[in-house]
Structures are given as structure tokens and as C-alpha cells.
Amino acid sequence: MKIPFNKPYLTGKEVDYIQEAVVSGKISGDGIFTQKCHGFFEERYRFKKTLLTTSCTDALEMTAILCDIKPGDEVIAPSYTFVSTVNAFVLRGAKIVFVDSGKSCPNIDASQIEELVTPKTKAIIPVHYAGIACEMDEILDIARRHNLFVIEDAAQAIDSFYKGEPLGSLGHFGTFSFHETKNIISGEGGMLAINDEDYISRAEIIREKGTNRTAFFRGEVDKYGWVDIGSSFLPSEIISAFLFAQAESLDYIQEKRKRLWALYYELLSPLEKAGYFDLPKIPPYATNNAHMLYIVCNNSNDREGLIKYLMKNDILAVFHYQSLHQSTYYSNLHDGRKLLNSDRYTECLVRLPLYYELNEDNIIFITSVINDFYNNSDVKW
Ligand SMILES: *Cc1c(COP(=O)(O)O)cnc(C)c1O
């Protein structure tokens, strides 16, 4: 039996809702299902305003426009993240000032941010890796004192919290992903959460190709036209219908994922105690949304051997980001500071299969294979 790394879960309602959207005759954006999704997320997480987008990448690109990022502006972000976190700002001419990850957590090391702020700095982009909150009080305090935007890349962080506050609701903006690898999905898909109401109407315009069509449909203007820059960032009703089925099932999806995550943690803890690797640490201010179960191996040889040994047993485990300051595109543009924790996660972090349809026997099997790898001297690697 093969255990994939991820398997998109369908609740069963997706096709019904898509059919409903198709039969209604309205399948372009901002129809009934988009409104239902907006209402769902605004009510549940107290976001001032949400706008569905076609991806988290698009939501990030919208924030770069909303922050008026111009060539020469500086944006502070972790190096250990997905390309889109910073590419959105590079598209507008920003220089990225990369910050190292923490020693015990891949999130941005908040204690290193302030010394990197210059008069050109415009924004800080904390990424809540694995859905575990960054140190938001510290980050928001720096931003307030230096008058910077905070954009939370909450792509992995749906239904996770910082001191009781939903992730994505703390900065000026929060961006979410519903890519098929996330906790709730729509194939491709995303959402922008806007927490400062001053930016709502411009966000609507940017999302609608730079036009005030959204205000027109609400009857606020009598014709619509080109009023700003923008692009086509809104998803069709087919995607929103799919997503609404997932949103309605969020509670039971989360409950199952958390149960699987806890079982992994329990079965892997003895190996961590024996010093073979590190498990994720959930700080007291953060919650776990069970987006990901990662382990940090002691070195890259261990990781390579472990991934191969799991593969031999038909289990697909995968590494994650390559430090962006070392990337082909950005290494020549980076200022040369060493970011050693980011490089360590690049070389040593491995993600284990975690998806709704995984069962407890699968996890008992996966963890026994890992145990074998470390404790059975017959395993040659
Ligand atoms: C998945 C992910 C993205 C990109 O999301 P898309 O919806 O695929 O554009 C951005 N940032 C992080 C941290 C992610 O995990």
C-alpha cells in the first residue's frame, strides 16, 4: 500500500454546489457562493473584510499594490518561505531584506527585525509556518513604531490563533491559500483579509482590473470605469462553490487533522527524546491547526536517508523550502548576510504525510518505519 504525501479531500458537497452555481446561470466572480464564503470567513474570524482571490499569490500581489510598494522600497521577510511571499513585492520593484528563522522554529526571528529597518522599509511579512503563529506582539510593535505595514502570509494558517486572535486578523492584511495541499481547498484559490477598513474600497478596485465595478453592482455609482491599477484577482463561482463546501466542513476536517497530528507527535516523541530529531514546538501564545507534521533531522545525511527509507516502504515524505536568499534568482541581490537557521531547515526539515483520509494505522506504520530507520542496525543508509 502506497502512502502519498497529500491527498485532496472532498466533502461530497462540492459537485452539488458547483451544479447549483452552473444552473443559476452565474458562474463568473462575486456571485452567491463567493458572498457565502466571504460571510463565513468574516463571521468566523472577525476579519473586517474578506475578498476571495484565485490564489494566495494573488492576494499577496494585491497587498503589494495596496501598500503602494515602489522601486527601491524595502520589505522584510523570512528567507525560509514560499517564493510568492516575496515575489509579489519584487514585482513592484521592492528590495527584499531577508531575516533568518528562529532556532527552534522556522518562523521569522522577530528579535532580528528591528535592526534591519531603514528609512526605505515599507512592510514586514511574517509567515506563519505550519500554521504556527509568529511572535506578533513584537512584530506589530516594531511596525507601529516605524510606521510599517504588516502583511501576514497566513497561507497555511486557516483556523489558527495567536493569543486567541485568528491569524490573518492581526496585521493590516492577511493572505490565505486554498491550494489543494492546504487544510481546506478549492484546487487553486486564496483569500485576502483586510483588517484596516481604509483599504477596503481600493482592494475591491484592484481585484476588479482597476475598475469600480464592485461599487457599481452595489448601486453606489451609476456607471463603472477605470479608476486605478489592478488585475483580475477574483475567482469564478465554480471555485467559490467548491470552497464553500469545504468551509462548511472545516470543523470536522480540523478535528480529524488534529487527532492525526497528536498521534504522530505521541509516537515520535520517544525518538525525539533519544536525540534523533526535533519535533515542532508550539509556543504558549500559539495554537496548532495541524497543517503540517514536520521533523527537523540532525543533519542532511539523516534526512536524505530517512526520505529514501520511507520511500522504500512506499511512504512519500518530502523536504520543503530552499532558502530564498540562496535562490538562483535572488542570491546576487541578497546583501550577503548569513542566515544559518534558514539554511538548516532547508537541509534538515522533512514533512510527513498528513491528510484527512490518512488513518491511525497508517500513522502507526509510518512511525514504526521511522523507528526502524533510527533503531534497527540492519537498516543500511
Ligand atoms: C501555499 C503557500 C503560498 C502560495 O499559495 P497559492 O495559493 O498557491 O498561491 C504562499 N505562501 C505560503 C507560506 C504557502 O504555504
Side-chain angles (χ1 to χ4, degrees):
M1 176 200 44
K2 272 199 165 27
I3 302 180
F5 170 67
N6 180 55
K7 184 171 177 224
Y9 169 63
L10 300 185
T11 70
K13 286 279 197 70
E14 289 83 354
V15 176
D16 293 345
Y17 287 168
I18 288 171
Q19 184 169 1
E20 208 177 309
V22 170
V23 169
S24 82
K26 158 83 181 169
I27 52 171
S28 62
D30 278 342
I32 286 164
F33 282 104
T34 304
Q35 299 313 325
K36 282 182 190 230
C37 288
H38 289 170
F40 176 88
F41 291 114
E42 283 163 17
E43 187 174 325
R44 186 174 173 115
Y45 301 119
R46 307 184 295 277
F47 301 129
K48 283 244 166 60
K49 173 74 187 160
T50 57
L51 291 170
L52 291 193
T53 56
T54 47
S55 63
C56 181
T57 301
D58 271 356
L60 286 159
E61 286 177 22
M62 286 181 66
T63 68
I65 299 172
L66 285 163
C67 298
D68 263 326
I69 299 295
K70 301 221 161 44
D73 287 348
E74 293 178 6
V75 165
I76 294 176
S79 176
Y80 194 74
T81 184
F82 189 61
V83 178
S84 299
T85 309
V86 294
N87 185 68
F89 298 87
V90 169
L91 280 174
R92 313 225 61 81
K95 175 182 167 210
I96 309 302
V97 178
F98 286 113
V99 182
D100 205 2
S101 297
K103 202 166 164 19
S104 59
C105 168
N107 282 345
I108 191 167
D109 181 348
S111 71
Q112 295 185 30
I113 293 175
E114 189 151 25
E115 64 204 49
L116 297 168
V117 173
T118 76
K120 292 181 176 169
T121 308
K122 286 284 155 59
I124 307 172
I125 330 287
V127 179
H128 304 298
Y129 186 77
I132 299 169
C134 296
E135 292 161 312
M136 291 308 293
D137 280 346
E138 199 169 345
I139 292 169
L140 292 168
D141 180 54
I142 296 166
R144 223 171 278 125
R145 283 185 287 104
H146 296 276
N147 199 21
L148 308 175
F149 285 102
V150 174
I151 298 131
E152 299 174 72
D153 182 339
Q156 305 173 10
I158 193 79
D159 210 51
S160 204
F161 298 81
Y162 172 82
K163 296 185 178 173
E165 299 293 325
L167 297 186
S169 75
L170 296 143
H172 296 81
F173 308 108
T175 63
F176 291 87
S177 175
F178 304 116
H179 182 264
E180 72 168 21
T181 51
K182 309 299 204 252
N183 291 29
I184 56 168
I185 61 175
S186 57
E188 304 281 351
M191 180 172 75
L192 174 63
I194 303 160
N195 303 312
D196 181 333
E197 54 199 0
D198 290 351
Y199 295 93
I200 295 173
S201 58
R202 186 161 187 232
E204 289 178 340
I205 288 165
I206 290 166
R207 179 166 165 272
E208 268 281 19
K209 302 96 179 163
T211 74
N212 54 355
R213 184 151 93 178
T214 306
F216 172 71
F217 280 137
R218 278 198 300 259
E220 294 164 12
V221 291
D222 55 13
K223 55 183 184 302
Y224 81 87
W226 189 16
V227 294
D228 201 338
I229 61 167
S231 191
S232 187
F233 290 121
L234 75 169
S236 84
E237 278 292 286
I238 294 174
I239 288 173
S240 307
F242 193 113
L243 181 61
F244 188 63
Q246 295 265 319
E248 282 187 324
S249 306
L250 181 60
D251 283 326
Y252 79 76
I253 291 173
Q254 286 300 94
E255 195 262 320
K256 173 88 184 277
R257 292 184 73 104
K258 286 183 196 171
R259 198 146 40 79
L260 296 174
W261 198 98
L263 181 62
Y264 259 130
Y265 203 88
E266 179 194 330
L267 296 176
L268 291 171
S269 284
L271 292 171
E272 184 191 40
K273 287 205 182 76
Y276 293 129
F277 50 71
D278 290 316
L279 287 167
K281 303 280 167 295
I282 316 287
Y285 53 71
T287 58
N288 174 28
N289 72 344
H291 171 61
M292 187 195 298
L293 193 293
Y294 68 82
I295 65 180
V296 184
C297 296
N298 290 342
N299 53 62
S300 59
N301 278 344
D302 274 18
R303 181 178 75 172
E304 201 184 322
L306 178 60
I307 289 175
K308 277 198 190 135
Y309 189 63
L310 286 163
M311 182 92 83
K312 227 197 272 178
N313 287 277
D314 279 338
I315 300 160
L316 189 61
V318 294
F319 53 81
H320 210 183
Y321 304 128
Q322 309 292 295
S323 289
L324 294 178
H325 72 288
Q326 307 262 33
S327 62
T328 306
Y329 180 68
Y330 218 84
S331 54
N332 290 331
L333 300 165
H334 176 62
D335 55 28
R337 281 172 300 111
K338 290 206 181 323
L339 307 174
L340 298 176
N341 287 325
S342 178
D343 292 343
R344 185 166 54 86
Y345 294 116
T346 296
E347 288 175 10
C348 301
L349 185 146
V350 53
R351 297 175 290 159
L352 302 179
L354 181 61
Y355 48 87
Y356 184 85
E357 286 169 77
L358 200 67
N359 62 40
E360 297 181 353
D361 289 342
N362 294 145
I363 292 180
I364 291 167
F365 174 63
I366 295 165
T367 54
S368 74
V369 170
I370 296 173
N371 190 55
D372 250 16
F373 174 77
Y374 282 107
N375 282 322
N376 185 343
S377 54
D378 292 341
V379 175
K380 294 275 177 286
W381 45 284

